[in-house]
């Protein structure tokens, strides 16, 4: 398995609180992605990074921000969590030569009450 | 709306039979089309890809077919096994280092 870890794996938080999810890779891959997965919607891209300090928005970026200060870490922050952000969040990595071959982390289940 | 979609949300298959999972796409400019498998409680896993200039590509027990005329992609699994029970996603490369995923088909293998 690709060396990708996500923390925490499970989190319950209250509406209005800030939440940060961490993705850590040991593969030295250039590209990193944050997705959310909801029933009936498959995987939807939140934000992605194409290098240290280089990030861009995906299709569902509202309410989320990201940071990448090191190659190995990609952080996803919910500034003020809402119930609509209850979801399973996946981090993925890929190399530039085959960006379509993404390796996914185990996921973080976030519940906003 | 989503540019990639699957025809059926669920598929039940007898063990040993062949499975066919279908997907429709709308972006004719995509260079690659990809299939991912997601087992319960895990992240998706890359299965196979096909480049847009190909019609067919075979892997181990899997075959992907691409019909650009009708914008249709399919994944065939030969001799389906219990370990093939999972959710299968098709995806397309948007030529900008990103993928667009379909909603997924849940495959259940009957013993």
């Amino acid at each position: 398995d690709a060396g990708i870890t996500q923390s925490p794996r499970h989190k319950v938080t209250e509406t209005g609180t800030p939440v940060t999810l961490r993705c850590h890779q040991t593969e030295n891959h250039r590209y990193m992605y944050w997705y959310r997965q909801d029933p009936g919607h498959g995987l939807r891209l939140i934000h992605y990074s194409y290098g240290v300090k280089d990030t861009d928005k995906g299709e569902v970026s509202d309410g989320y921000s990201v940071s990448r200060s090191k190659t190995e870490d990609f952080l996803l922050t919910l500034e003020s969590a809402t119930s609509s952000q209850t979801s399973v969040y996946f981090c993925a990595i890929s190399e530039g030569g085959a960006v379509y071959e993404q390796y996914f982390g185990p996921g973080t289940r976030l519940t906003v009450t | 709306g989503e540019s990639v979609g699957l025809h059926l949300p669920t598929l039940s298959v007898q063990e040993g039979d062949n499975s066919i999972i279908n997907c429709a796409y709308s972006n004719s400019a995509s260079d690659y089309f990809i299939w991912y498998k997601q087992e319960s409680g895990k992240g998706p896993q890359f299965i196979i890809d096909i480049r847009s200039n190909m019609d067919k590509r075979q892997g181990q027990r899997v075959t992907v077919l691409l019909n650009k005329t009708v914008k249709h992609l399919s994944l065939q699994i030969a001799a389906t096994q219990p370990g093939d029970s999972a959710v299968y996603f098709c995806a397309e490369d948007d030529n900008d280092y990103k993928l667009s995923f379909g909603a997924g088909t849940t495959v259940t293998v009957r013993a």
Side-chain angles (χ1 to χ4, degrees):
Chain A
D1 291 342
I4 310 169
T5 57
Q6 293 185 231
S7 58
R9 294 293 314 279
H10 302 271
K11 186 171 182 65
V12 180
T13 192
E14 294 184 346
T15 298
T17 60
V19 176
T20 295
L21 308 183
R22 181 185 184 228
C23 176
H24 179 78
Q25 61 147 329
T26 58
E27 305 297 320
N28 200 36
H29 281 8
R30 177 181 176 185
Y31 297 91
M32 299 186 76
Y33 308 83
W34 276 108
Y35 293 91
R36 61 178 290 173
Q37 184 172 38
D38 305 290
H41 288 280
L43 291 152
R44 292 183 291 176
L45 182 65
I46 305 171
H47 281 280
Y48 68 104
S49 170
Y50 45 95
V52 173
K53 298 186 178 179
D54 291 323
T55 65
D56 206 348
K57 296 178 179 180
E59 64 178 299
V60 290
S61 60
D62 287 349
Y64 302 94
S65 62
V66 291
S67 66
R68 191 170 178 199
S69 60
K70 298 184 290 184
T71 299
E72 57 266 36
D73 289 326
F74 194 31
L75 303 180
L76 176 71
T77 297
L78 291 66
E79 300 292 346
S80 179
T82 67
S83 58
S84 64
Q85 293 175 312
T86 292
S87 187
V88 179
Y89 291 85
F90 286 100
C91 174
I93 63 174
S94 70
E95 261 305 322
V99 68
Y100 52 85
E101 186 171 347
Q102 297 184 5
Y103 300 94
F104 284 79
T108 293
R109 183 172 294 277
L110 177 67
T111 302
V112 184
T113 62
Chain B
E2 294 180 334
S3 64
V4 179
L6 289 165
H7 291 308
L8 294 173
T10 61
L11 179 66
S12 181
V13 182
Q14 185 70 37
E15 182 178 355
D17 287 352
N18 297 333
S19 303
I20 299 176
I21 307 166
N22 296 303
C23 178
Y25 67 90
S26 60
N27 185 1
S28 300
S30 294
D31 278 338
Y32 287 92
F33 299 89
I34 311 99
W35 284 98
Y36 281 82
K37 173 186 179 183
Q38 185 178 26
E39 297 176 359
S40 180
K42 297 183 178 180
Q45 182 179 16
F46 173 88
I47 302 174
I48 191 169
D49 65 274
I50 186 168
R51 195 163 184 177
S52 59
N53 62 355
M54 300 171 65
D55 297 322
K56 179 179 180 180
R57 189 174 185 205
Q58 289 185 297
Q60 187 175 8
R61 273 201 314 118
V62 296
T63 301
V64 57
L65 300 177
L66 178 63
N67 185 330
K68 294 179 286 294
T69 301
V70 294
K71 298 182 181 178
H72 184 267
L73 182 71
S74 68
L75 179 71
Q76 300 178 2
I77 305 173
T80 310
Q81 303 170 358
D84 295 326
S85 291
V87 180
Y88 290 82
F89 295 96
C90 63
E92 58 180 347
D93 171 17
D94 74 348
N95 301 313
D96 191 23
Y97 309 111
K98 303 191 298 292
L99 298 178
S100 293
F101 285 84
T105 291
T106 300
V107 173
T108 302
V109 180
R110 307 188 306 271

